[in-house]
Every structure is written in C-alpha cells, then in structure tokens.
Amino acid sequence: MAGIPPDTGALMSAVLEGILYGFSVLMFMGTIWALTYKSRMQDINRPIAMVAILLLLVSTVHMIVTIIRVENGFVKYRDTWPGGPAAFFADITEETYVIKHALYIFQTVVADGVMVYRCYVVWQSIRVIILPSMLWCGIVVTGIHAVYSVSQASSNPGDVFASQLTKWITAFFASTITTNLLCSGLLAYRIWMTERAVSRVRATSGTMMPIVRILVDAAVLYSIVLFSLLICFLSGNNGEGVLTDLVMPVISIAFYMVLIRITFNRKKHSHISKAVFSTPRGTTGSGDTEQGILQQYPMKPLQVNVPKFTHEDSPLAYRVDNEDQLSPCKVESL
C-alpha cells in the first residue's frame, strides 16, 4: 500500500465529503423546486422525485456514518484499538467501513438503474437496453459479493487490496464505468437524432442541444471520479478510500444536475421535450425516429385557393369555383 496514511485519509475524506454533501443538498432543493414550480400535484414526476429523495437519504446516512467512524477512530477507540487510529481506519472488517461501502454499492445500483430506465424511456426499445441491463446486473452481483468479501476478510483484515477482493472490486468499478458511459452515449445520440428530425420538420434547431451537453458533462464528471478511483485501487493507493467517500455526493450532484436542466428545458420547450421523453410506443428504434416526430408534429392540410372569374359575353355569366364546376350567376350591369 502507498499514498496517504489511513487515518489522514479518513479525516480528509470526511471534510471533502461534507463539503460536497452540502452542495448536493442545495442541488436537491433546486431539484424539488424545479419539479414543483408552477406544476400541479398530478403533473409532478413522482418516480423521479422519489429517486431524488432516496439519493439524498442514502447520502445523508453515509455522511452520518462517516462522522461516527471518524469519532470512533480518533476519540472513542483512540487508546484502546490495537495500533491506534491508523490501524482502526485500515481495518476493512470494522462495522462502519462495511456499512459505508454497502451504502455506496446501493446508491450506485440505484443511479445506474435510473440511467438504464432513461435509455428505455427515450428509445422505447428493449433491444437497446439489453447490454446496459446485463452490465447493471453485473454491478449488483459484483457489488454484493465485494461487500460480503470485505466483511468476511478475516485472514487479512487490514488490506483491502488482497487478491481475493481485487477481482470483485475491479469488476464492479469496470461495470459501473461502462454502464455510465454506454447509457450516456445512447441518450445523447438519441436526443441528437431527434433534434435533427425536429429541425427538418419544424425548421428549428438547437433547442435540445443543452440537454446533450449536460448529459455529457454529468457523464464526464462521474467517469473522471470513477477512473481516478479505479486507478488508485489498481495501484494500491490509499487514496481510493477518499475517492470512494467522494463518489457518494458526486452521484447525487450528477443526477440532480441532469434533472434540473431537463426539467427547465421541458417547461421551456415542452413540444420538443415530449418528442424526446414521450416517444410514441409504436417506435422501436432509431429507424423510427422521424416517424415518431411526424406523429408528434402532424402536418396541417394544404389549402389551395383557385381564383374565381366571370365571363361577360352574355346576360348570364358562369363562375368557375374550386370544384371545377360551372354555376350560373347574374352579371351586374356596368
């Protein structure tokens, strides 16, 4: 193992997580305001609101456990734990360590599950989410096994980088990174294709591109943290403990950031947002994009007006109407 000492890392992660947690609480308040502002109760997206509340609750419990862990290591067991605070924070079988990582696994499973669900809502195709769903199942399996292995690591409780743990934790990180990048790419591509179809039908452009940018930004933010965490873990650096605690508020921030921007864009351009997030159920893939857009934007009937004229060679003139029929009409004297 290398990097910062375990006790220093625990104190650093508690401070940084507290800062990011406070920011995530502000983002949560903005999310609830965006969902409820000028909206009737029946118009609120309740599943998304419940997910937002769940992420806040999980992050709050994780923050509380972090504070309890720091208090136990530096105050409660400072003189009684064999090896002092450094040994306490290095013990991966300690109760608060296992609880914190179980909460992290749970929040990752929820956040990645929402990403897969968004792909299905936007694409309306089971085939598109087959691979993301398989990756999500891999996240669940590897995450549960990793937490269980950590709690049962009695042979080497002070080493999270033990060989029997590395393969499961590495597989978990690889699965969640791949799922995040794949789902974000599918969402951005679908929105971009919809934007092109809408611009051809209604001669508008650029209204959905802010959503594409915010999806990319959120994916980049989350992926950078996960890549850094994976690199620290593979290199045996104790900084992985700090980054693991930081991922918790980062997941919430990325979710709230996307939700706020999408909500505001939907209220500002509701006619286009419905085309993106309420694709007709008859569509099955990218090949039906233009058909779905045309169903959302039906073309108005084309009305052709044929000019009328009168022939003045006789007391009775004839009028040409739109049905190409001649009907007599009286000619007024000049």
PDB file of all heavy atoms in Angstrom, residues 48-69:
ATOM      1  N   ILE A  48     -39.344   9.998 -10.345  1.00  0.00           N
ATOM      2  CA  ILE A  48     -38.072  10.714 -10.328  1.00  0.00           C
ATOM      3  C   ILE A  48     -37.899  11.462  -9.014  1.00  0.00           C
ATOM      4  O   ILE A  48     -36.799  11.522  -8.443  1.00  0.00           O
ATOM      5  CB  ILE A  48     -38.003  11.686 -11.525  1.00  0.00           C
ATOM      6  CG1 ILE A  48     -37.989  10.895 -12.836  1.00  0.00           C
ATOM      7  CG2 ILE A  48     -36.763  12.559 -11.435  1.00  0.00           C
ATOM      8  CD1 ILE A  48     -36.804   9.980 -12.991  1.00  0.00           C
ATOM      9  N   ALA A  49     -38.988  12.044  -8.495  1.00  0.00           N
ATOM     10  CA  ALA A  49     -38.909  12.736  -7.208  1.00  0.00           C
ATOM     11  C   ALA A  49     -38.546  11.764  -6.086  1.00  0.00           C
ATOM     12  O   ALA A  49     -37.743  12.099  -5.193  1.00  0.00           O
ATOM     13  CB  ALA A  49     -40.238  13.429  -6.900  1.00  0.00           C
ATOM     14  N   MET A  50     -39.092  10.547  -6.138  1.00  0.00           N
ATOM     15  CA  MET A  50     -38.767   9.552  -5.119  1.00  0.00           C
ATOM     16  C   MET A  50     -37.308   9.125  -5.201  1.00  0.00           C
ATOM     17  O   MET A  50     -36.648   8.919  -4.175  1.00  0.00           O
ATOM     18  CB  MET A  50     -39.684   8.333  -5.269  1.00  0.00           C
ATOM     19  CG  MET A  50     -41.142   8.605  -4.939  1.00  0.00           C
ATOM     20  SD  MET A  50     -41.374   9.173  -3.231  1.00  0.00           S
ATOM     21  CE  MET A  50     -40.775   7.742  -2.334  1.00  0.00           C
ATOM     22  N   VAL A  51     -36.791   8.999  -6.433  1.00  0.00           N
ATOM     23  CA  VAL A  51     -35.372   8.654  -6.587  1.00  0.00           C
ATOM     24  C   VAL A  51     -34.485   9.761  -6.032  1.00  0.00           C
ATOM     25  O   VAL A  51     -33.477   9.504  -5.366  1.00  0.00           O
ATOM     26  CB  VAL A  51     -35.048   8.385  -8.072  1.00  0.00           C
ATOM     27  CG1 VAL A  51     -33.546   8.220  -8.275  1.00  0.00           C
ATOM     28  CG2 VAL A  51     -35.772   7.133  -8.555  1.00  0.00           C
ATOM     29  N   ALA A  52     -34.859  11.017  -6.308  1.00  0.00           N
ATOM     30  CA  ALA A  52     -34.083  12.143  -5.782  1.00  0.00           C
ATOM     31  C   ALA A  52     -34.073  12.137  -4.254  1.00  0.00           C
ATOM     32  O   ALA A  52     -33.017  12.360  -3.626  1.00  0.00           O
ATOM     33  CB  ALA A  52     -34.655  13.458  -6.312  1.00  0.00           C
ATOM     34  N   ILE A  53     -35.223  11.884  -3.645  1.00  0.00           N
ATOM     35  CA  ILE A  53     -35.298  11.822  -2.190  1.00  0.00           C
ATOM     36  C   ILE A  53     -34.492  10.643  -1.658  1.00  0.00           C
ATOM     37  O   ILE A  53     -33.792  10.753  -0.632  1.00  0.00           O
ATOM     38  CB  ILE A  53     -36.759  11.725  -1.738  1.00  0.00           C
ATOM     39  CG1 ILE A  53     -37.516  13.000  -2.118  1.00  0.00           C
ATOM     40  CG2 ILE A  53     -36.857  11.482  -0.237  1.00  0.00           C
ATOM     41  CD1 ILE A  53     -39.013  12.936  -1.854  1.00  0.00           C
ATOM     42  N   LEU A  54     -34.555   9.503  -2.355  1.00  0.00           N
ATOM     43  CA  LEU A  54     -33.813   8.318  -1.919  1.00  0.00           C
ATOM     44  C   LEU A  54     -32.313   8.575  -1.957  1.00  0.00           C
ATOM     45  O   LEU A  54     -31.579   8.194  -1.022  1.00  0.00           O
ATOM     46  CB  LEU A  54     -34.176   7.124  -2.807  1.00  0.00           C
ATOM     47  CG  LEU A  54     -33.483   5.799  -2.485  1.00  0.00           C
ATOM     48  CD1 LEU A  54     -33.833   5.337  -1.085  1.00  0.00           C
ATOM     49  CD2 LEU A  54     -33.867   4.735  -3.512  1.00  0.00           C
ATOM     50  N   LEU A  55     -31.834   9.215  -3.025  1.00  0.00           N
ATOM     51  CA  LEU A  55     -30.402   9.523  -3.116  1.00  0.00           C
ATOM     52  C   LEU A  55     -29.969  10.452  -1.984  1.00  0.00           C
ATOM     53  O   LEU A  55     -28.880  10.301  -1.416  1.00  0.00           O
ATOM     54  CB  LEU A  55     -30.079  10.157  -4.468  1.00  0.00           C
ATOM     55  CG  LEU A  55     -30.200   9.245  -5.693  1.00  0.00           C
ATOM     56  CD1 LEU A  55     -29.878  10.014  -6.958  1.00  0.00           C
ATOM     57  CD2 LEU A  55     -29.289   8.028  -5.566  1.00  0.00           C
ATOM     58  N   LEU A  56     -30.823  11.422  -1.646  1.00  0.00           N
ATOM     59  CA  LEU A  56     -30.486  12.322  -0.541  1.00  0.00           C
ATOM     60  C   LEU A  56     -30.429  11.561   0.783  1.00  0.00           C
ATOM     61  O   LEU A  56     -29.507  11.783   1.592  1.00  0.00           O
ATOM     62  CB  LEU A  56     -31.521  13.448  -0.462  1.00  0.00           C
ATOM     63  CG  LEU A  56     -31.334  14.418   0.717  1.00  0.00           C
ATOM     64  CD1 LEU A  56     -30.075  15.243   0.539  1.00  0.00           C
ATOM     65  CD2 LEU A  56     -32.556  15.319   0.888  1.00  0.00           C
ATOM     66  N   LEU A  57     -31.387  10.664   1.004  1.00  0.00           N
ATOM     67  CA  LEU A  57     -31.398   9.897   2.252  1.00  0.00           C
ATOM     68  C   LEU A  57     -30.161   9.009   2.373  1.00  0.00           C
ATOM     69  O   LEU A  57     -29.537   8.947   3.444  1.00  0.00           O
ATOM     70  CB  LEU A  57     -32.670   9.046   2.326  1.00  0.00           C
ATOM     71  CG  LEU A  57     -33.982   9.819   2.490  1.00  0.00           C
ATOM     72  CD1 LEU A  57     -35.170   8.860   2.473  1.00  0.00           C
ATOM     73  CD2 LEU A  57     -33.984  10.641   3.774  1.00  0.00           C
ATOM     74  N   VAL A  58     -29.798   8.345   1.279  1.00  0.00           N
ATOM     75  CA  VAL A  58     -28.624   7.468   1.315  1.00  0.00           C
ATOM     76  C   VAL A  58     -27.360   8.281   1.557  1.00  0.00           C
ATOM     77  O   VAL A  58     -26.482   7.892   2.355  1.00  0.00           O
ATOM     78  CB  VAL A  58     -28.528   6.657   0.012  1.00  0.00           C
ATOM     79  CG1 VAL A  58     -27.249   5.826  -0.005  1.00  0.00           C
ATOM     80  CG2 VAL A  58     -29.737   5.743  -0.148  1.00  0.00           C
ATOM     81  N   SER A  59     -27.237   9.428   0.875  1.00  0.00           N
ATOM     82  CA  SER A  59     -26.072  10.290   1.079  1.00  0.00           C
ATOM     83  C   SER A  59     -26.019  10.810   2.514  1.00  0.00           C
ATOM     84  O   SER A  59     -24.937  10.921   3.105  1.00  0.00           O
ATOM     85  CB  SER A  59     -26.110  11.467   0.101  1.00  0.00           C
ATOM     86  OG  SER A  59     -26.052  11.024  -1.232  1.00  0.00           O
ATOM     87  N   THR A  60     -27.180  11.137   3.078  1.00  0.00           N
ATOM     88  CA  THR A  60     -27.219  11.626   4.457  1.00  0.00           C
ATOM     89  C   THR A  60     -26.791  10.554   5.442  1.00  0.00           C
ATOM     90  O   THR A  60     -25.995  10.817   6.364  1.00  0.00           O
ATOM     91  CB  THR A  60     -28.644  12.110   4.796  1.00  0.00           C
ATOM     92  OG1 THR A  60     -29.021  13.142   3.878  1.00  0.00           O
ATOM     93  CG2 THR A  60     -28.695  12.655   6.215  1.00  0.00           C
ATOM     94  N   VAL A  61     -27.298   9.332   5.260  1.00  0.00           N
ATOM     95  CA  VAL A  61     -26.894   8.229   6.148  1.00  0.00           C
ATOM     96  C   VAL A  61     -25.402   7.964   6.015  1.00  0.00           C
ATOM     97  O   VAL A  61     -24.698   7.733   7.023  1.00  0.00           O
ATOM     98  CB  VAL A  61     -27.715   6.969   5.810  1.00  0.00           C
ATOM     99  CG1 VAL A  61     -27.210   5.772   6.621  1.00  0.00           C
ATOM    100  CG2 VAL A  61     -29.194   7.187   6.094  1.00  0.00           C
ATOM    101  N   HIS A  62     -24.892   8.008   4.785  1.00  0.00           N
ATOM    102  CA  HIS A  62     -23.454   7.793   4.580  1.00  0.00           C
ATOM    103  C   HIS A  62     -22.636   8.873   5.284  1.00  0.00           C
ATOM    104  O   HIS A  62     -21.581   8.590   5.886  1.00  0.00           O
ATOM    105  CB  HIS A  62     -23.143   7.790   3.080  1.00  0.00           C
ATOM    106  CG  HIS A  62     -21.754   7.348   2.752  1.00  0.00           C
ATOM    107  ND1 HIS A  62     -20.675   8.214   2.746  1.00  0.00           N
ATOM    108  CD2 HIS A  62     -21.251   6.129   2.407  1.00  0.00           C
ATOM    109  CE1 HIS A  62     -19.582   7.565   2.414  1.00  0.00           C
ATOM    110  NE2 HIS A  62     -19.899   6.286   2.200  1.00  0.00           N
ATOM    111  N   MET A  63     -23.090  10.128   5.218  1.00  0.00           N
ATOM    112  CA  MET A  63     -22.389  11.219   5.896  1.00  0.00           C
ATOM    113  C   MET A  63     -22.402  11.024   7.401  1.00  0.00           C
ATOM    114  O   MET A  63     -21.399  11.254   8.084  1.00  0.00           O
ATOM    115  CB  MET A  63     -23.059  12.544   5.511  1.00  0.00           C
ATOM    116  CG  MET A  63     -22.307  13.779   5.976  1.00  0.00           C
ATOM    117  SD  MET A  63     -20.780  14.070   5.065  1.00  0.00           S
ATOM    118  CE  MET A  63     -19.588  14.107   6.411  1.00  0.00           C
ATOM    119  N   ILE A  64     -23.529  10.566   7.932  1.00  0.00           N
ATOM    120  CA  ILE A  64     -23.622  10.317   9.374  1.00  0.00           C
ATOM    121  C   ILE A  64     -22.676   9.199   9.794  1.00  0.00           C
ATOM    122  O   ILE A  64     -21.971   9.299  10.817  1.00  0.00           O
ATOM    123  CB  ILE A  64     -25.077   9.981   9.758  1.00  0.00           C
ATOM    124  CG1 ILE A  64     -25.978  11.198   9.551  1.00  0.00           C
ATOM    125  CG2 ILE A  64     -25.158   9.499  11.207  1.00  0.00           C
ATOM    126  CD1 ILE A  64     -27.450  10.921   9.762  1.00  0.00           C
ATOM    127  N   VAL A  65     -22.633   8.115   9.002  1.00  0.00           N
ATOM    128  CA  VAL A  65     -21.730   7.004   9.317  1.00  0.00           C
ATOM    129  C   VAL A  65     -20.277   7.451   9.234  1.00  0.00           C
ATOM    130  O   VAL A  65     -19.433   7.026  10.041  1.00  0.00           O
ATOM    131  CB  VAL A  65     -22.007   5.815   8.376  1.00  0.00           C
ATOM    132  CG1 VAL A  65     -20.986   4.702   8.605  1.00  0.00           C
ATOM    133  CG2 VAL A  65     -23.412   5.283   8.573  1.00  0.00           C
ATOM    134  N   THR A  66     -19.963   8.309   8.270  1.00  0.00           N
ATOM    135  CA  THR A  66     -18.603   8.841   8.163  1.00  0.00           C
ATOM    136  C   THR A  66     -18.212   9.608   9.412  1.00  0.00           C
ATOM    137  O   THR A  66     -17.094   9.458   9.947  1.00  0.00           O
ATOM    138  CB  THR A  66     -18.486   9.753   6.933  1.00  0.00           C
ATOM    139  OG1 THR A  66     -18.753   8.992   5.752  1.00  0.00           O
ATOM    140  CG2 THR A  66     -17.094  10.358   6.841  1.00  0.00           C
ATOM    141  N   ILE A  67     -19.114  10.439   9.919  1.00  0.00           N
ATOM    142  CA  ILE A  67     -18.844  11.208  11.139  1.00  0.00           C
ATOM    143  C   ILE A  67     -18.661  10.274  12.334  1.00  0.00           C
ATOM    144  O   ILE A  67     -17.743  10.452  13.162  1.00  0.00           O
ATOM    145  CB  ILE A  67     -19.985  12.210  11.395  1.00  0.00           C
ATOM    146  CG1 ILE A  67     -20.028  13.256  10.278  1.00  0.00           C
ATOM    147  CG2 ILE A  67     -19.803  12.903  12.749  1.00  0.00           C
ATOM    148  CD1 ILE A  67     -21.211  14.197  10.361  1.00  0.00           C
ATOM    149  N   ILE A  68     -19.524   9.254  12.416  1.00  0.00           N
ATOM    150  CA  ILE A  68     -19.403   8.293  13.518  1.00  0.00           C
ATOM    151  C   ILE A  68     -18.074   7.542  13.429  1.00  0.00           C
ATOM    152  O   ILE A  68     -17.400   7.311  14.453  1.00  0.00           O
ATOM    153  CB  ILE A  68     -20.585   7.311  13.489  1.00  0.00           C
ATOM    154  CG1 ILE A  68     -21.893   8.040  13.803  1.00  0.00           C
ATOM    155  CG2 ILE A  68     -20.366   6.174  14.484  1.00  0.00           C
ATOM    156  CD1 ILE A  68     -23.132   7.177  13.670  1.00  0.00           C
ATOM    157  N   ARG A  69     -17.678   7.182  12.209  1.00  0.00           N
ATOM    158  CA  ARG A  69     -16.419   6.453  12.027  1.00  0.00           C
ATOM    159  C   ARG A  69     -15.228   7.313  12.441  1.00  0.00           C
ATOM    160  O   ARG A  69     -14.306   6.828  13.118  1.00  0.00           O
ATOM    161  CB  ARG A  69     -16.285   6.017  10.572  1.00  0.00           C
ATOM    162  CG  ARG A  69     -14.983   5.309  10.238  1.00  0.00           C
ATOM    163  CD  ARG A  69     -15.028   4.767   8.825  1.00  0.00           C
ATOM    164  NE  ARG A  69     -13.736   4.256   8.380  1.00  0.00           N
ATOM    165  CZ  ARG A  69     -13.239   3.068   8.713  1.00  0.00           C
ATOM    166  NH1 ARG A  69     -13.946   2.256   9.492  1.00  0.00           N
ATOM    167  NH2 ARG A  69     -12.066   2.674   8.268  1.00  0.00           N
TER     168      ARG A  69
END
